[in-house]
Amino acid sequence: MAIDPREDDTIVALSTPPGLGGIAVVRLSGTESVSITNKLLPSNKRISAKSHGKALVTTISDPSTGDTIDEVVVTFFRAQHSYTTEDLVEISCHGGEYVQSQILYLSTNAGARIAEPGEFTKRAFLGGRIDLSQAEAVADLISAKVKSAHRFSILQMQGALKERTSSLRSKIVELSALIEAELDFSDDEITPTPKNVIAEKIDQVLIGIQQVSGNYGYGKIIRTGAIVPIIGKPNAGKSSLLNALLAEERAIVTETPGTTTDIIECPVDIEGFLVRLIDTAGIRSTSESVEKLGVDKTFEQIRSADLILWLIDKSSPIEEDDLNIYAELKNRNYIVLESKSDLSRHKSFNPERHDIKPDLAISSQTGDGLHELSSDIATKLRSLDAGEDALITNARQAAAFSKSEKALKRALSSTLDGAGNEFISVDIRDAMIYLGEITGEITTDDVLNEIFSRFCIGK
Amino acid sequence: MTDSYDIIVVGAGHAGIEAALSSARMGNSVAIITMDTNAIGRMSCNPAIGGLAKGHLVREIDALGGEMGKAADATGIQFKMLNRSKGRAVWSPRCQSDKYAYADYMDAVVNSEENITLIGDSVIGVSVLSKKVEGVYTTNRGTIAAKAVILTCGTFLNGLMHTGLKSTSGGRVGEEKSGGLTENLTELGFKTGRLKTGTPPRLKKETINFDLTEPQYGDEEPRAFSFSTKNFNPPNIPAYITHTNEKTHRIIESGLDKSPMFTGLIKGIGPRYCPSIEDKIIRFSDKPSHQLFLEIEGIGRGDIYVNGFSTSLPEDVQTEAIRTVPGLEEVELVRPGYAVEYDYFPPHQLYHTMETKLVKSLYFAGQINGTSGYEEAAAQGLVAGINAALKLLGKDKFHTDRAESYIGVLVDDLVSKGTQEPYRMFTSRAEYRILLRHDNADIRLSEKGYNFGLASKKVYDRAKYKKSLLEESVSALRATHLSVKKINERLGHIISRPADKPSSLLQLLRRPEVKLLDILPIFEITSSALAKKIQSDPESAEQIELEVKYEGYMKRQNEQVARFRKMEHKNIPPTFDYSAIRSLSSEGREKLSTMKPESLGHASRISGITPSDLSLVAIALRAYDTRV
Ligand SMILES: Cc1cc2nc3c(=O)[nH]c(=O)nc-3n(C[C@H](O)[C@H](O)[C@H](O)COP(=O)(O)OP(=O)(O)OC[C@H]3O[C@@H](n4cnc5c(N)ncnc54)[C@H](O)[C@@H]3O)c2cc1C
Ligand SMILES: Nc1nc2c(ncn2[C@@H]2O[C@H](COP(=O)(O)OP(=O)(O)OP(=O)(O)O)[C@@H](O)[C@H]2O)c(=O)[nH]1
Ligand SMILES: [Mg+2]
């Protein structure tokens, strides 16, 4: 079955150009846009389908883990009063692409579909909001975009993702043939496959799918750069390190702790990786409100980072603040840097006692250790590659994989529960359709072909 | 010529019969023109009706008011519910038929239908005036006029039969081919292709030693195909199972140089699901043995059908090979197996009504569309007959979609995907399989059948009753709650783990180990009338249980259906001009222009149509609607 632009489902897309910094707006349009958005919001701060045009400050989090993604402003526009003439929700979030694509990704998990190019405008037209000449311009836009998307898809076709997805999908087709053959032919003709074998095969495909989707993060690093915040307590030398790595004075450096209060993001090429270095506000417990806001943002950066550079200042004691930061880094990907290596060691600088192991000593002033740091960053980023050639590079593919994974999990549990093949097949088919969305392959005939090539069938 | 009818049906096979009966019963004067008026409703191949997925088709034909199910019930010699070892959602009825009795039954029904005139002649062309059909040309009677024509020519168009390297022209053994019609239609612009199918030898019953075979009977409690069959008490005559062996296979291999298939004599494409024995031996050379079923073709008749041994090898090779099979050591053939090649018309040239896109009021149904099987043919015949009648009555067309019936899947597959090999129905072709069960065919379709004047009021009333009993029972089960104590007291011996919280009967029934029968006594306390109704109606009881146990899956399928239907309801007018959409891909434009999809959903199932093509069509459609 071809992918259909299900005209009535809820779509989601980024409506400001993706990029660094600033505010980004993610839009949802369709009957489910409110309910989908609400799945990502805390139960006490949700939007109501009655509050047309009102902005609500709230937080988006991942419903499966509970992790907060971003503090956002959500606005609801009622059908007929919105651009698309459908229920429309705008989520204004902070700039980072990570945050944006997380919101897209979570929305698709919650039931939205990534919009086709020009689809919001198309709906505006279908709803009678814009006229035919405008719509024709949109049609041209769609075809132009599709052309470039097509070029991309050709590249991708040759690439590993397509191959890997195809091979996973053909495993599902085989699986499906085993399941369907039993339903379509009598026991005289076909020996049934034991349920544990089916379960095992589902599990194998699941593992493959998880491997590929596990690499979504790395795919994003390759395509849009790695998010690498520099953190540490005030005056640790973060801004100095940023400047040193950029070889340019971008951030203000002073002797006063607490100089940097907002984040600065600067792209830099490190051994072929696009690294988006982020200078952050020093972390300390503070009651001062501007600084507190900065600190909060820093914590947010830590959560969405691909790699964290943590500075501990050799010329000052290890303090409560350091330990708080250290606690925050648990289970994250980070490098511990002993900064200001040109200075002498403070007598209470005793990281070992707190089980902190510096990876490298550096000095932004003398350049000591900076080369090693570059290659350590590259090594760490490379290690994020799960060894998969197949790279999921956009949220749409990630959503397809995630839906396919969910369907297979359901199929697996039905199988283990002893459900009949006709029910297992409902989910197996779904899994196949979702992967087919990436490779553009169709379903039913493939399964029958597989059955005919495998089984001696027919009387 | 003075002869004139509302509708002419060409052919009296399974498609022709349903087409003629339905359109005649809907009030039209119908002429069946067929080459041999003594060959009505013949089974060319297997003496059986139904089977996996095909059984569903028969039940649906019956619910709509067709004849096939009734005929099968009246003439079946053993009935079996297939897939009984699997879930109820995929059970499918089959019977073996007395094929002579079946044909006699159909002959009688057709002859007693007063709106039908039976004419023995061969149709060699259709007469067309300004893209509308006017009648047909025949060999002996010249032109016969009609307002609509339904072609159901089966395997007869330029039919060529092969046994070994010898080929004879003919549509079926003992019957002549039909010549000229293909050429006439090609001239009118129709595209044609060539397909092939085969049949096994028939054996002389008295030369078989049945002691060396194993009898296989039908069900002890047979189920009828027809929703109107009552007091069903058919015979249960066994088939006999035997097997091929290495020796059989060696002999077949030695004859391959005289096989019309392997020497390339046959050009038409055959069905993979119905391979010849030579095919099976080559493609699955590791299988040392294949199962054969010896099936009686008619009570008191001397011919036996060898299910599993379809072949077009030379007669002497067939005989030698089959004599290696236990029980068949001294067997004699009534008639050798053969393959037949014939012309068909790729069905993308049709609308969902089975009307051709090229010529108005001309319909194709059955094997002429590239399908194979009696049930597939009958289903199409019914759709064509109903639609031809509705059109003459000036009423809306009859359309049943993929989410409503296997017939819908069949028609939609044919018109949107076309077919390269003979098309047969499989349950895996139906996306919404667990909703399209044989047991609820009446609930799904009898209302339509009744409104056409085809299905009886009894059947329709019963379907309405079943549906409301189902709905009522499900909600009553949901509303009946039991305390923890009650559950453990009354169901403790059944449930796998004791209850720790109160639940409704519905929740309890959802447990795999709990059956509806187990909870009926409890249900009886609160809803005694309802429980009694269920008790006295095993058919409904089965449905209720199924509906409850698999509610989750059913719900998901229903959601899928809702999504599917939204696209289906976006109609595209037949006059829609794709060349006016500037940005359409050239492949998309070409495919859409030739296929003329009837809805956006239909367009999405055409291979090669991309999502962006669809978006563009959606936009243009809206513009079209606002302009018109
Ligand atoms: C040798 C053989 C093997 C087969 N094997 C299988 C199989 O293995 N499995 C399976 O599922 N199906 C098989 N079939 C197919 C099955 O028989 C058909 O699918 C089914 O009968 C088709 O029904 P129909 O109504 O379309 O055509 P038919 O039953 O073929 O009827 C065609 C009718 O049209 C008439 N007719 C044709 N042309 C003209 C004309 N120009 N003028 C007047 N009358 C005309 C004929 O006289 C006949 O009455 C086989 C058929 C044959 C012949
Ligand atoms: N000797 C020496 N001094 C350094 C080095 N790095 C930073 N400093 C000094 O340390 C002080 C703080 O440096 P910054 O880079 O502003 O520190 P920061 O971590 O950004 O501080 P905040 O933004 O206030 O949190 C400045 O006076 C720097 O000159 C270094 O490698 N060696
Ligand atoms: Mg700073």
Side-chain angles (χ1 to χ4, degrees):
Chain A
M1 200 189 308
I3 307 161
D4 55 27
R6 284 163 221 137
E7 293 266 307
D8 308 84
D9 55 2
T10 297
I11 51 173
V12 60
L14 198 62
S15 72
T16 42
L20 313 175
I23 294 282
V25 178
V26 171
R27 275 180 173 171
L28 291 103
S29 177
T31 44
E32 298 299 315
S33 48
V34 171
S35 66
I36 290 171
T37 309
N38 278 339
K39 285 187 195 158
L40 312 181
L41 304 180
S43 52
N44 57 344
K45 279 208 159 173
R46 292 192 166 161
I47 46 175
S48 133
K50 287 190 199 86
S51 54
H52 173 74
K54 279 212 196 91
L56 170 79
V57 182
T58 177
T59 50
I60 291 251
S61 53
D62 182 340
S64 63
T65 61
D67 285 354
T68 304
I69 305 298
D70 197 9
E71 183 162 272
V72 296
V73 177
V74 176
T75 320
F76 168 66
F77 301 93
R78 207 172 50 225
Q80 304 314 323
H81 300 273
S82 75
Y83 174 62
T84 54
T85 72
E86 302 172 326
D87 279 357
L88 187 136
V89 172
E90 282 190 5
I91 305 173
S92 309
C93 61
H94 294 103
E97 172 145 7
Y98 174 79
V99 170
Q100 298 161 17
S101 63
Q102 275 297 303
I103 295 177
L104 288 178
Y105 177 66
L106 294 173
S107 315
T108 58
N109 270 355
R113 168 171 67 76
I114 302 277
E116 301 291 335
E119 201 172 0
F120 276 85
T121 318
K122 185 181 100 188
R123 291 190 177 197
F125 169 73
L126 292 177
R129 173 123 325 210
I130 56 174
D131 68 16
L132 184 60
S133 63
Q134 283 170 292
E136 272 166 356
V138 176
D140 288 344
L141 189 74
I142 292 174
S143 74
K145 282 227 180 121
V146 167
K147 267 184 206 125
S148 67
H150 188 63
R151 257 206 314 278
F152 176 59
S153 78
I154 286 174
L155 283 177
Q156 211 177 36
M157 248 163 52
Q158 294 157 345
L161 179 67
K162 159 113 181 179
E163 245 168 61
R164 187 89 167 94
T165 313
S166 260
S167 97
L168 284 168
R169 188 180 165 280
S170 57
K171 284 208 182 107
I172 307 182
V173 171
E174 275 170 40
L175 185 64
S176 187
L178 290 180
I179 292 173
E180 300 285 352
E182 272 172 53
L183 299 175
D184 268 336
F185 298 92
S186 63
D187 294 348
D188 302 332
E189 297 168 276
I190 277 182
T191 337
T193 314
K195 281 279 149 65
N196 61 331
V197 174
I198 300 274
E200 210 169 284
K201 284 186 187 282
I202 298 177
D203 203 40
Q204 274 167 15
V205 183
L206 255 178
I207 291 171
I209 286 185
Q210 283 160 343
Q211 268 165 1
V212 178
S213 48
N215 226 19
Y216 176 37
Y218 189 64
K220 228 172 38 59
I221 289 174
I222 297 301
R223 202 173 60 95
T224 62
I227 311 276
V228 182
I230 307 170
I231 64 159
K233 65 185 177 197
N235 243 15
K238 302 180 292 294
S239 301
S240 304
L241 176 61
L242 179 90
N243 291 341
L245 287 173
L246 291 174
E248 143 182 33
E249 298 302 310
R250 285 287 286 281
I252 301 162
V253 172
T254 70
E255 287 162 19
T256 332
T259 306
T260 311
T261 53
D262 203 353
I263 58 168
I264 308 174
E265 189 177 313
C266 302
V268 56
D269 182 329
I270 294 180
E271 295 191 8
F273 281 102
L274 170 62
V275 171
R276 289 155 60 175
L277 278 178
I278 296 165
D279 188 14
T280 64
I283 296 173
R284 65 175 164 194
S285 23
T286 173
S287 52
E288 214 261 302
S289 72
V290 177
E291 194 176 341
K292 193 160 186 294
L293 210 71
V295 172
D296 284 350
K297 277 194 188 158
T298 303
F299 277 117
E300 204 179 283
Q301 288 299 332
I302 292 179
R303 279 193 292 269
S304 54
D306 296 306
L307 173 66
I308 298 154
L309 304 181
W310 177 31
L311 300 193
I312 45 178
D313 183 352
K314 184 186 176 190
S315 65
S316 81
I318 294 285
E319 298 166 306
E320 188 73 38
D321 286 331
D322 289 302
L323 299 179
N324 288 342
I325 296 174
Y326 189 42
E328 191 66 28
L329 292 180
K330 240 197 201 115
N331 296 327
R332 308 208 181 261
N333 190 27
Y334 60 93
I335 300 177
V336 185
L337 297 171
E338 193 176 304
S339 67
K340 308 185 189 177
S341 67
D342 55 307
L343 298 181
S344 56
R345 179 186 178 115
H346 190 278
K347 63 175 183 341
S348 301
F349 181 77
N350 46 7
E352 320 73 34
R353 278 188 50 190
H354 304 280
D355 218 24
I356 300 170
K357 293 181 205 70
D359 295 294
L360 195 65
I362 55 152
S363 167
S364 305
Q365 218 130 72
T366 65
D368 175 36
L370 290 186
H371 271 297
E372 291 87 334
L373 176 58
S374 289
S375 75
D376 279 8
I377 292 175
T379 309
K380 281 272 187 191
L381 290 180
R382 234 172 266 128
S383 74
L384 292 178
D385 180 357
E388 272 288 337
D389 295 335
L391 283 190
I392 294 183
T393 53
N394 65 42
R396 188 194 185 102
Q397 295 162 350
F401 263 84
S402 150
K403 284 185 191 158
S404 179
E405 181 182 343
K406 271 191 203 155
L408 284 174
K409 279 188 178 153
R410 276 198 303 259
L412 184 60
S413 73
S414 309
T415 310
L416 296 173
D417 287 350
N421 281 8
E422 66 278 27
F423 300 107
I424 301 172
S425 131
V426 174
D427 290 312
I428 298 280
R429 262 164 199 262
D430 264 3
M432 198 157 45
I433 289 171
Y434 291 129
L435 289 193
E437 281 179 9
I438 293 179
T439 60
E441 290 160 293
I442 45 163
T443 306
T444 345
D445 298 344
D446 296 4
V447 175
L448 283 172
N449 287 342
E450 181 72 23
I451 294 179
F452 296 142
S453 69
R454 278 178 153 254
F455 297 102
C456 178
I457 271 167
K459 290 176 177 174
Chain B
M1 286 301 290
T2 52
D3 272 5
S4 164
Y5 299 90
D6 289 335
I7 295 173
I8 288 175
V9 175
V10 181
H14 308 280
I17 291 171
E18 297 293 350
L21 288 175
S22 56
S23 54
R25 288 168 179 169
M26 287 170 78
N28 297 290
S29 68
V30 175
I32 297 182
I33 306 179
T34 188
M35 297 198 291
D36 181 351
T37 48
N38 293 316
I40 293 178
R42 273 205 185 153
M43 297 184 174
S44 327
C45 196
N46 196 348
I49 297 286
L52 295 170
K54 289 166 172 271
H56 287 81
L57 286 173
V58 181
R59 298 278 275 166
E60 292 178 357
I61 290 168
D62 187 70
L64 284 167
E67 198 62 36
M68 182 172 246
K70 291 180 190 138
D73 288 346
T75 61
I77 60 172
Q78 81 149 259
F79 287 76
K80 198 168 181 170
M81 188 61 78
L82 301 182
N83 262 351
R84 221 183 243 283
S85 62
K86 294 153 200 164
R88 256 190 214 128
V90 287
W91 287 12
S92 203
R94 175 184 188 266
C95 77
Q96 277 176 36
S97 300
D98 179 329
K99 72 176 207 182
Y100 301 99
Y102 186 93
D104 288 348
Y105 176 102
M106 284 303 194
D107 184 275
V109 171
V110 167
N111 276 299
S112 63
E113 183 59 55
E114 57 182 31
N115 281 344
I116 294 181
T117 310
L118 197 59
I119 300 171
D121 209 332
S122 177
V123 168
I124 48 176
V126 290
S127 112
V128 176
L129 190 71
S130 46
K131 296 201 166 178
K132 178 170 181 323
V133 83
E134 299 265 281
V136 298
Y137 306 120
T138 65
T139 311
N140 299 325
R141 284 175 182 69
T143 309
I144 303 178
K147 295 177 195 141
V149 171
I150 305 174
L151 298 183
T152 67
C153 300
T155 50
F156 286 72
L157 297 177
N158 291 324
L160 188 61
M161 300 183 291
H162 303 265
T163 301
L165 300 180
K166 191 179 79 193
S167 32
T168 2
S169 98
R172 187 158 56 190
V173 69
E175 290 178 56
E176 269 174 45
K177 75 163 189 185
S178 146
L181 189 51
T182 309
E183 294 70 18
N184 171 262
L185 291 169
T186 315
E187 252 166 55
L188 289 170
F190 286 99
K191 297 212 165 40
T192 171
R194 202 125 167 101
L195 293 174
K196 167 241 145 180
T197 186
T199 195
R202 307 301 194 274
L203 310 180
K204 281 191 189 149
K205 190 174 173 191
E206 70 270 18
T207 60
I208 297 172
N209 178 3
F210 287 101
D211 294 343
L212 296 177
T213 65
E214 182 200 326
Q216 192 195 45
Y217 287 87
D219 292 340
E220 304 266 319
E221 285 173 48
R223 295 244 194 145
F225 279 106
S226 175
F227 289 99
S228 44
T229 297
K230 293 281 167 298
N231 306 322
F232 189 49
N233 196 11
N236 189 354
I237 294 173
Y240 298 87
I241 299 176
T242 181
H243 295 89
T244 64
N245 53 48
E246 298 282 0
K247 248 189 187 159
T248 327
H249 299 184
R250 292 297 85 74
I251 293 169
I252 286 169
E253 272 167 9
S254 74
L256 288 180
D257 57 332
K258 283 173 239 106
S259 150
M261 256 160 50
F262 289 87
T263 53
L265 193 64
I266 292 181
K267 301 270 176 343
I269 301 161
R272 284 173 300 174
Y273 46 82
C274 214
S276 61
I277 186 75
E278 47 270 36
D279 245 340
K280 290 195 226 174
I281 284 162
I282 302 285
R283 287 189 36 225
F284 298 92
S285 54
D286 52 329
K287 264 193 115 175
S289 167
H290 295 275
Q291 200 169 34
L292 303 178
F293 296 80
L294 307 178
E295 295 173 355
I296 280 94
E297 293 217 301
I299 292 177
R301 301 281 183 151
D303 45 350
I304 297 289
Y305 178 90
V306 198
N307 200 336
F309 206 83
S310 171
T311 178
S312 55
L313 289 168
E315 184 167 355
D316 55 334
V317 182
Q318 293 187 24
T319 311
E320 198 189 337
I322 204 141
R323 285 188 178 159
T324 60
V325 173
L328 305 179
E329 291 81 356
E330 303 191 351
V331 84
E332 283 171 34
L333 305 192
V334 175
R335 147 168 36 98
Y338 64 94
V340 60
E341 278 186 287
Y342 54 93
D343 298 334
Y344 81 110
F345 292 88
H348 68 263
Q349 305 175 89
L350 306 176
Y351 292 116
H352 282 85
T353 53
M354 314 311 287
E355 187 179 16
T356 67
K357 291 170 183 168
L358 272 177
V359 177
K360 288 198 192 83
S361 300
L362 176 64
Y363 298 77
F364 292 172
Q367 192 135 358
I368 190 175
N369 288 332
T371 61
S372 116
Y374 316 136
E375 303 79 1
E376 287 83 351
Q380 292 170 66
L382 186 61
V383 173
I386 292 174
N387 271 305
L390 288 172
K391 191 169 175 179
L392 291 186
L393 296 169
K395 291 195 182 160
D396 275 353
K397 63 185 178 191
F398 162 51
H399 179 63
T400 169
D401 69 20
R402 304 183 73 87
E404 186 178 58
S405 66
Y406 275 86
I407 297 179
V409 173
L410 167 71
V411 171
D412 188 60
D413 275 352
L414 291 178
V415 306
S416 48
K417 294 179 188 155
T419 183
Q420 268 85 48
E421 71 179 317
Y423 178 103
R424 187 206 131 154
M425 187 43 77
F426 291 103
T427 71
S428 55
R429 296 197 195 269
E431 294 84 347
Y432 313 110
R433 175 167 53 201
I434 57 180
L435 303 178
L436 306 187
R437 303 186 312 269
H438 86 86
D439 61 78
N440 64 10
D442 56 342
I443 297 183
R444 290 183 279 122
L445 295 168
S446 66
E447 181 175 1
K448 287 189 170 157
Y450 176 70
N451 289 335
F452 298 142
L454 297 174
S456 73
K457 179 149 190 334
K458 262 207 178 119
V459 169
Y460 175 43
D461 285 345
R462 165 82 181 140
K464 277 194 293 193
Y465 172 81
K466 269 166 76 179
K467 187 165 182 236
S468 71
L469 181 59
L470 177 69
E471 284 163 1
E472 223 180 300
S473 307
V474 169
S475 61
L477 287 167
R478 199 191 304 277
T480 312
H481 289 270
L482 287 194
S483 67
V484 175
K485 186 161 161 279
K486 271 266 158 54
I487 298 174
N488 292 327
E489 217 172 83
R490 310 221 37 172
L491 293 170
H493 58 295
I494 293 165
I495 52 183
S496 56
R497 65 203 135 74
D500 49 13
K501 53 177 185 298
S503 358
S504 67
L505 285 180
L506 191 94
Q507 284 164 323
L508 287 167
L509 185 50
R510 227 176 267 150
R511 293 185 175 212
E513 70 275 20
V514 178
K515 303 268 169 300
L516 184 61
L517 273 180
D518 301 327
I519 58 169
L520 265 186
I522 309 172
F523 192 47
E524 208 168 349
I525 299 168
T526 49
S527 314
S528 129
L530 207 49
K532 287 223 170 67
K533 280 189 200 167
I534 297 172
Q535 217 141 26
S536 64
D537 188 348
E539 195 193 349
S540 293
E542 276 176 10
Q543 269 177 356
I544 293 163
E545 184 162 320
L546 193 71
E547 202 80 20
V548 170
K549 288 226 181 283
Y550 299 108
E551 203 184 17
Y553 294 101
M554 307 254 178
K555 215 178 123 211
R556 280 231 300 293
Q557 288 240 298
N558 278 318
E559 285 164 6
Q560 292 170 349
V561 168
R563 246 188 281 137
F564 159 81
R565 288 248 163 92
K566 277 180 175 159
M567 291 279 286
E568 292 306 293
H569 289 160
K570 297 220 157 73
N571 289 331
I572 305 177
T575 52
F576 191 73
D577 180 11
Y578 292 97
S579 66
I581 308 178
R582 278 187 290 154
S583 324
L584 213 54
S585 72
S586 53
E587 189 195 350
R589 192 193 318 274
E590 201 205 301
K591 283 251 165 85
L592 291 165
S593 308
T594 46
M595 299 282 284
K596 295 197 185 15
E598 291 156 68
S599 66
L600 265 189
H602 181 196
S604 74
R605 287 188 295 280
I606 297 173
S607 70
I609 301 300
T610 64
S612 72
D613 287 337
L614 285 179
S615 300
L616 292 166
V617 174
I619 290 183
L621 259 182
R622 188 56 173 244
Y624 182 96
D625 287 348
T626 46
R627 243 183 269 132
V628 176

